[in-house]
Amino acid sequence: MRRRWAFRGLQQPVKAEHINPFVGSTTKVFDTMLSCELQRGELSIGDGCQPVYDISGIIGLSGKAAGTVVLSLSREAAIQATATMLGETPDDLNGDVVDAVGELTNMIAGAAKAELEQLQMSVSLPNVIIGRNHCIQFPTGVKPICIPFESSIGALSVEFGLKEET
Amino acid sequence: MRRRWAFRGLQQPVKAEHINPFVGSTTKVFDTMLSCELQRGELSIGDGCQPVYDISGIIGLSGKAAGTVVLSLSREAAIQATATMLGETPDDLNGDVVDAVGELTNMIAGAAKAELEQLQMSVSLPNVIIGRNHCIQFPTGVKPICIPFESSIGALSVEFGLKEET
């Protein structure tokens, strides 16, 4: 007999009121940290493997809702963002770029969390994934929301999935 | 002037008493869920980009310590593990494999968290990363511990990094 696992279960769409905090936090973090204005594209509700760029920062949220936030950047956008944050341009995807992308992800998750006031949530460590054509999948029970952005440093996306405790 | 970011800071090695819970939880989960005995290899303390296999489950821990647990499996080991858990062999790296790897990661993190009794921690959603040659980097302030295992379904590794609140 086919067994179903704990975090499988009914599809639980991300609520509309969860989307605005993530749009707001991303826009605010890029404006404050990088003086970079973002144009938001059409959001999509992901079902399968979402296309991501070469570098993704990923961070877990836990507490009253469990979730993940993924910030994905092209190589060029990540290097440009690091240059602005550190004041010197990295030669390659080195530790400085990893830290800068991790820190941006951290700030986006943290700012969104603060806006999601009713959910007492905490944030895990950010990790950074590097690899062409890597793809990040969410558990079946979660429909992640992908918000694409255009900016002067290149295209980027923020993807997040939340699952409230029942 | 070069700025340093919040989660950069002093190198904080993972404590020895944190390692055993992760070794124990991985061994127990593979034994219970897959009837698969693991032989532990020599652990390494990662500094840079750790080699991982084709499929990684990643999950955040937060609370009194923030951290991440990564379970990385070869394609064959992931398919074999899914076949055992679901009772049918998946053709490819489909949603069932994603869920099975996510669930194993979830169980390893959950069992280790239970053993780390003094740390009130909660677990985020597991995500699964698919991609040849992807690599997962931890923030500079954390030295991840990588534990390789050999088993009848193939090689795998568990990597984790924890940072206690100061």
Side-chain angles (χ1 to χ4, degrees), chain A residues 120-147:
Chain A
Q120 287 139 22
M121 295 165 85
S122 51
V123 171
S124 72
L125 286 186
N127 286 83
V128 174
I129 296 136
I130 300 177
R132 279 194 184 276
N133 303 320
H134 72 275
C135 94
I136 299 175
Q137 298 215 338
F138 286 72
T140 309
V142 175
K143 273 197 183 293
I145 301 284
C146 180
I147 314 168

Side-chain angles (χ1 to χ4, degrees), chain A residues 88-143:
Chain A
E88 55 191 68
T89 307
D91 304 329
D92 203 359
L93 299 181
N94 58 19
D96 284 339
V97 182
V98 167
D99 279 356
V101 172
E103 185 61 21
L104 288 170
T105 312
N106 206 13
M107 288 177 182
I108 291 169
K113 179 179 78 99
E115 283 192 56
L116 295 166
E117 277 175 1
Q118 75 281 18
L119 303 172
Q120 287 139 22
M121 295 165 85
S122 51
V123 171
S124 72
L125 286 186
N127 286 83
V128 174
I129 296 136
I130 300 177
R132 279 194 184 276
N133 303 320
H134 72 275
C135 94
I136 299 175
Q137 298 215 338
F138 286 72
T140 309
V142 175
K143 273 197 183 293

Side-chain angles (χ1 to χ4, degrees), chain B residues 24-43:
Chain B
S25 67
T26 308
T27 309
K28 192 160 36 179
V29 166
F30 272 74
D31 181 32
T32 313
M33 298 303 296
L34 307 173
S35 305
C36 175
E37 196 183 323
L38 298 184
Q39 284 83 44
R40 176 186 154 185
E42 202 63 45
L43 65 80

Side-chain angles (χ1 to χ4, degrees), chain B residues 55-57 71 73 78 82 96-106 128:
Chain B
I55 306 162
S56 301
L71 168 68
L73 299 167
T82 310
D96 284 339
V97 181
V98 167
D99 278 356
V101 173
E103 185 62 20
L104 289 171
T105 312
N106 207 12
V128 174

Side-chain angles (χ1 to χ4, degrees), chain A residues 30-103:
Chain A
F30 272 74
D31 182 29
T32 313
M33 298 303 296
L34 307 173
S35 305
C36 175
E37 197 182 321
L38 298 183
Q39 285 83 45
R40 177 186 152 183
E42 202 64 46
L43 65 82
S44 59
I45 299 177
D47 223 354
C49 198
Q50 296 301 297
V52 284
Y53 300 99
D54 292 355
I55 306 162
S56 301
I58 184 168
I59 195 164
L61 294 166
S62 55
K64 282 214 170 169
T68 317
V69 182
V70 179
L71 167 68
S72 196
L73 300 167
S74 67
R75 181 188 177 88
E76 295 68 30
I79 285 178
Q80 185 62 50
T82 309
T84 307
M85 287 169 80
L86 294 185
E88 55 191 68
T89 307
D91 304 329
D92 203 359
L93 299 181
N94 58 19
D96 284 339
V97 182
V98 167
D99 279 356
V101 172
E103 185 61 21

Side-chain angles (χ1 to χ4, degrees), chain B residues 44-116:
Chain B
S44 59
I45 299 177
D47 223 355
C49 198
Q50 295 302 299
V52 285
Y53 300 99
D54 293 355
I55 306 162
S56 301
I58 184 169
I59 194 164
L61 295 166
S62 54
K64 285 214 172 170
T68 316
V69 182
V70 179
L71 168 68
S72 196
L73 299 167
S74 68
R75 182 189 177 88
E76 294 68 32
I79 286 178
Q80 186 61 49
T82 310
T84 308
M85 286 168 80
L86 295 185
E88 55 191 69
T89 305
D91 302 328
D92 202 359
L93 300 181
N94 59 18
D96 284 339
V97 181
V98 167
D99 278 356
V101 173
E103 185 62 20
L104 289 171
T105 312
N106 207 12
M107 288 176 182
I108 291 169
K113 177 178 79 100
E115 283 193 56
L116 294 167

